[in-house]
Amino acid sequence: MTSHCALLLTPGPLTTAASTREAMLRDWGSREPDFIALTRRLRSQLLDVIGTPSGYAAVPLQGSGTYAIEATLSTLLGPRDRLLVMSNGVYGKRIATIAERLGHSLIVIDTDETAALDPQKLDAELAADSQISHVAMAHGETSSGRINPIEPIVEVVASHGRALLIDAMSTFGAIPIDVENSPIAAVIASSNKCLEGVPGIGFAIARISDLQRATGVSRSLSLDLHAQWRGFEGNGQWRFTPPVQVIAAAVEALNLHASEGGVSARHARYAKRAERLVRTMESMGLEALLPADARGPCIVAFRTPEDLSSKFEILIDHLRAVGIAIYPGKLTVADTFRIGCMGAFDGSAWERFFDCFGAALCKAGWRQEAALAGLGE
Amino acid sequence: MTSHCALLLTPGPLTTAASTREAMLRDWGSREPDFIALTRRLRSQLLDVIGTPSGYAAVPLQGSGTYAIEATLSTLLGPRDRLLVMSNGVYGKRIATIAERLGHSLIVIDTDETAALDPQKLDAELAADSQISHVAMAHGETSSGRINPIEPIVEVVASHGRALLIDAMSTFGAIPIDVENSPIAAVIASSNKCLEGVPGIGFAIARISDLQRATGVSRSLSLDLHAQWRGFEGNGQWRFTPPVQVIAAAVEALNLHASEGGVSARHARYAKRAERLVRTMESMGLEALLPADARGPCIVAFRTPEDLSSKFEILIDHLRAVGIAIYPGKLTVADTFRIGCMGAFDGSAWERFFDCFGAALCKAGWRQEAALAGLGE
């Protein structure tokens, strides 16, 4: 199969707007004044998305979102610090894996993939262990589509006077995050999820006082968030050659984000898609993994019924043949597939997806009647 | 000044071909079969550039070229290894800085920025210190434009049975590198110099036996060359979200590289430009930093005469106003400026540069007659 999929209903990279991709048609000298201005604009736009909190700075970084998480852990945690990771899925675990590889002192509160994070457990751990300096969590657990509410964790972390790191990879730009006057030391995300840019940069919105303290802490020259920030604050430049076209696309994607109406408008667009998605899937006999109050609007995981499981690859191939990409799940506790509601496409593309999905279910030979019931709704 | 420069005569990012940029106009699902095929093609094209040596693999990595150097040092050198860096400029020093930050045992043979690397010194060090496992050097010292010949170093390293790491950032694709049956463990470069792609990925052409030995060596999850290679060899995918558009552009740039006639044709194009450049600059009274046999065809550094030094910013501004970017030097021993001969532009753009450079010298008020002599040649 070498069909090309233009409608990417995956956790990313996503379908982007034509103007976002067209922003990549220019060359840029990365140390030229116009590119320095573009970088300044990017940093201020990223901060705008989160409400321009005082005392925070946006530090973009070459690479994927995982690089930005590693740079944050590598820079903001010193040798005497200890990290507690609240995990209920693959991306929570990844934070722990990065910290472990970096040699950080680490504790993980591992929760079932289908359960919520437990602030009471966190409270008990923080009360018992004064060495824990930082707590980390994934805001959107991309593997299950769960949103882990930040507020209860913020409250506990604040009450113990520790710092909080938030992996907001699949929520930044679509779900509000309030960092002002919080114990949040960094919110980390990337250009190519809810912001609908192309992949190639990650970033941290980091508390300036934490950045200032972190001179020479990172053992990585490349993934040093402090030095990266100093570079931007100094001469406005990236320390190492930046992906200039990706950055131009990010600025255009952020222009579109602002003109759409910011976080609340983006949330509304995705939430509307997610509601329609769950309803349509249910009409075809497919069930969302998580209850409505635990799911986010960005990615929805569905249980793969036993009699569909063996046919799932065929289903995916049929969708691929009509230019639509979806991903299987990434959970260990349940057989699931995931549909991403993020991306720059319109309502008619979404409706077309439902038609194609129903037809693909039929072609895969799964419960013909149930599948057809979802069509032409 | 917010003029936009389309002709980038810098060490990179460079002026790219329209078709290379246009290759970025599509979205790609990074785990889709067509993108896996694109990645396979990229890896095989990168290996082709270096003559498809047996026992080597191309391992592309998200980020800049510096990231790829760090990943190589972080992965191929274990805790018992010792690195000797042969340095005669900023980029040699950067290799040492990365190794130092990573905590590697390190020796630097530091040579003057205007002098050649000394294989005899290397021979003596390797004879005296059996703990040195790896030697590293920059092939093209981007700061001075010097080409450090690989063969004499290869010979010494081979005679002592050690491994060689080559930073070929500003030479890969324009100057041949022979790795077959050599002690070279890795050649490291990026997409956006002589290959004329856009920035966003680096890569190492690494000896497979060295990669195989390096399980779990890197303390970085992101910059782990072994795991990245295993990912490609396993399911053909990038471990973390790749910059899909940058990769599509790299494949198109490599198509253009091959259709131009490969390394020898690219070398000839740059060498012709460099010759014309030095001749024209000389006619204007400007002198190349290095003698002809030490300079490469990719970047040429010129001494900035004392009476031009104070006017240099004005000169750069005048060039910027007509859409041309050049960079000041990066040397400590001499005041220089650098002109990059790399990039996808034609002879008329090169001639226009000379006209604009001469005119900018005049406007900057530097030796009017000398500057005018270079015009209309």
Side-chain angles (χ1 to χ4, degrees):
Chain A
M1 297 296 293
T2 51
S3 313
H4 183 77
C5 294
L7 189 60
L8 303 168
L9 308 179
T10 69
L14 303 167
T15 303
T16 60
S19 69
T20 297
R21 279 172 275 124
E22 283 158 11
M24 294 189 283
L25 288 174
R26 287 174 105 178
D27 291 312
W28 297 80
S30 58
R31 306 197 185 282
E32 288 299 297
D34 62 345
F35 187 74
I36 290 172
L38 192 76
T39 295
R40 198 185 310 124
R41 181 162 172 76
L42 170 73
R43 293 184 66 216
S44 113
Q45 285 175 310
L46 288 173
L47 216 52
D48 277 355
V49 169
I50 203 162
T52 319
S54 63
Y56 286 80
V59 190
L61 186 84
Q62 299 94 327
S64 77
T66 298
Y67 285 52
I69 293 175
E70 181 168 336
T72 304
L73 293 179
S74 166
T75 305
L76 297 191
L77 271 81
R80 289 184 195 169
D81 288 326
R82 178 172 294 168
L83 178 69
L84 185 152
V85 178
M86 306 279 288
S87 165
N88 57 353
V90 170
Y91 292 89
K93 279 199 178 64
R94 184 177 289 175
I95 301 173
T97 303
I98 293 169
E100 201 174 12
R101 289 281 285 269
L102 290 170
H104 287 317
S105 174
L106 174 70
I107 293 164
V108 182
I109 301 184
D110 205 1
T111 307
D112 187 274
E113 286 163 332
T114 55
L117 299 181
D118 185 346
Q120 285 185 307
K121 270 194 195 166
L122 174 65
D123 189 48
E125 285 282 350
L126 294 183
D129 187 347
S130 63
Q131 294 295 102
I132 297 168
S133 54
H134 293 75
V135 175
M137 63 178 281
H139 186 203
E141 181 47 74
T142 311
S143 56
S144 63
R146 174 185 290 276
I147 299 299
N148 290 313
I150 292 174
E151 297 72 16
I153 307 295
V154 156
E155 207 172 294
V156 174
V157 172
S159 75
H160 291 276
R162 319 294 166 87
L164 182 59
L165 307 172
I166 296 181
D167 168 354
M169 217 54 72
S170 64
T171 57
F172 190 92
I175 301 185
I177 301 172
D178 190 11
V179 306
E180 190 115 42
N181 300 319
S182 81
I184 297 174
V187 174
I188 309 142
S190 86
S191 52
N192 65 291
K193 295 203 191 277
C194 304
L195 297 181
E196 300 184 353
V198 304
I201 52 167
F203 56 88
I205 309 289
R207 197 158 54 185
I208 291 169
S209 57
D210 292 65
L211 286 170
Q212 279 168 333
R213 267 198 302 273
T215 316
V217 173
S218 177
R219 287 182 62 178
S220 165
L221 185 72
S222 309
L223 306 182
D224 182 340
L225 208 64
H226 170 88
Q228 187 86 345
W229 168 70
R230 282 268 182 237
F232 291 131
E233 296 294 324
N235 61 10
Q237 299 181 17
W238 298 65
R239 292 175 304 145
F240 308 119
T241 305
V244 292
Q245 283 85 6
V246 168
I247 291 155
V251 168
E252 171 60 13
L254 283 155
N255 290 342
L256 295 176
H257 185 270
S259 64
E260 183 179 354
V263 174
S264 60
R266 183 80 27 121
H267 183 276
R269 175 153 61 90
Y270 292 175
K272 195 177 154 199
R273 282 183 190 163
E275 272 168 41
R276 175 88 176 92
L277 170 69
V278 172
R279 200 153 26 92
T280 309
M281 288 292 182
E282 281 174 353
S283 74
M284 295 192 209
L286 292 161
E287 184 199 354
L289 175 78
L290 300 175
D293 62 351
R295 300 193 290 261
C298 306
I299 293 154
V300 183
F302 293 90
R303 290 182 188 278
T304 313
E306 220 170 300
D307 58 344
L308 178 59
S309 197
S310 63
K311 299 176 164 108
F312 199 74
E313 275 305 312
I314 306 172
L315 173 78
I316 281 189
D317 283 349
H318 279 301
L319 285 172
R320 185 174 290 137
V322 293
I324 298 173
I326 67 167
Y327 279 8
K330 219 172 177 171
L331 297 189
T332 50
V333 293
D335 193 0
T336 57
F337 64 93
R338 293 177 291 169
I339 307 292
C341 302
M342 304 172 287
F345 53 82
D346 60 15
S348 68
W350 200 225
E351 293 306 313
R352 179 174 165 263
F353 159 62
F354 297 134
D355 292 342
C356 293
F357 190 88
L361 276 179
C362 283
K363 285 184 187 163
W366 184 75
R367 300 192 208 165
Q368 305 280 345
E369 287 151 42
L372 286 167
L375 295 174
E377 217 194 31
Chain B
M1 297 293 295
T2 51
S3 314
H4 183 76
C5 295
L7 188 59
L8 302 167
L9 307 179
T10 68
L14 304 167
T15 304
T16 60
S19 68
T20 296
R21 279 173 274 126
E22 283 158 11
M24 293 190 283
L25 288 174
R26 287 174 103 178
D27 291 312
W28 296 82
S30 58
R31 306 196 184 281
E32 287 298 295
D34 63 345
F35 187 75
I36 290 173
L38 192 77
T39 296
R40 199 184 311 123
R41 181 162 173 78
L42 171 73
R43 294 183 66 216
S44 113
Q45 285 175 310
L46 289 173
L47 217 51
D48 277 356
V49 169
I50 202 162
T52 319
S54 62
Y56 286 80
V59 190
L61 187 83
Q62 299 94 327
S64 78
T66 298
Y67 285 52
I69 293 176
E70 181 169 334
T72 303
L73 293 178
S74 164
T75 305
L76 298 191
L77 270 81
R80 289 183 196 170
D81 289 323
R82 178 172 295 168
L83 178 70
L84 184 152
V85 177
M86 305 279 288
S87 166
N88 58 352
V90 171
Y91 292 90
K93 278 198 180 67
R94 183 177 291 174
I95 301 173
T97 304
I98 294 169
E100 201 173 9
R101 289 282 284 268
L102 289 170
H104 288 317
S105 174
L106 173 71
I107 292 165
V108 181
I109 300 183
D110 205 0
T111 307
D112 187 272
E113 287 164 332
T114 57
L117 298 181
D118 185 345
Q120 286 185 309
K121 269 194 194 164
L122 174 64
D123 189 47
E125 285 284 350
L126 294 183
D129 187 347
S130 63
Q131 293 295 102
I132 298 168
S133 54
H134 294 75
V135 175
M137 62 178 280
H139 186 205
E141 181 46 75
T142 311
S143 55
S144 62
R146 174 183 291 276
I147 299 300
N148 290 313
I150 292 174
E151 299 71 16
I153 307 295
V154 156
E155 207 172 293
V156 173
V157 172
S159 76
H160 290 277
R162 318 293 166 89
L164 182 59
L165 307 173
I166 296 180
D167 168 353
M169 217 54 73
S170 65
T171 57
F172 191 92
I175 301 185
I177 301 172
D178 190 11
V179 305
E180 189 115 42
N181 300 317
S182 80
I184 298 174
V187 174
I188 307 141
S190 86
S191 52
N192 65 293
K193 296 201 191 275
C194 304
L195 296 181
E196 300 182 354
V198 303
I201 52 168
F203 56 87
I205 309 288
R207 198 157 55 185
I208 292 169
S209 56
D210 293 65
L211 285 170
Q212 279 168 334
R213 267 198 302 273
T215 316
V217 173
S218 177
R219 287 181 64 178
S220 165
L221 184 72
S222 309
L223 305 181
D224 182 340
L225 209 64
H226 169 87
Q228 187 86 343
W229 168 70
R230 283 268 183 237
F232 291 132
E233 296 294 325
N235 61 10
Q237 298 181 19
W238 299 65
R239 291 175 305 146
F240 308 120
T241 305
V244 293
Q245 283 85 4
V246 168
I247 290 155
V251 167
E252 172 60 12
L254 284 155
N255 289 342
L256 297 175
H257 185 269
S259 65
E260 183 179 355
V263 174
S264 59
R266 184 75 35 116
H267 184 276
R269 174 153 61 89
Y270 292 174
K272 196 178 155 198
R273 281 183 191 163
E275 273 168 41
R276 176 89 178 90
L277 170 68
V278 172
R279 201 153 26 92
T280 309
M281 289 291 181
E282 281 173 352
S283 75
M284 296 192 208
L286 292 161
E287 184 199 353
L289 175 78
L290 300 174
D293 61 350
R295 305 193 285 263
C298 305
I299 292 153
V300 183
F302 293 90
R303 291 184 187 277
T304 312
E306 220 170 301
D307 58 344
L308 178 59
S309 198
S310 62
K311 302 176 160 107
F312 199 74
E313 276 303 314
I314 305 172
L315 174 78
I316 282 190
D317 282 349
H318 279 300
L319 286 172
R320 187 174 290 139
V322 294
I324 298 173
I326 68 168
Y327 279 8
K330 219 171 177 172
L331 297 189
T332 51
V333 293
D335 192 1
T336 57
F337 64 92
R338 294 176 291 171
I339 307 292
C341 302
M342 306 172 286
F345 52 82
D346 60 16
S348 68
W350 201 226
E351 292 307 315
R352 178 173 166 264
F353 160 61
F354 297 133
D355 292 343
C356 294
F357 190 87
L361 276 180
C362 284
K363 285 184 186 163
W366 184 74
R367 299 192 208 164
Q368 306 278 345
E369 288 151 40
L372 285 167
L375 293 175
E377 220 197 28

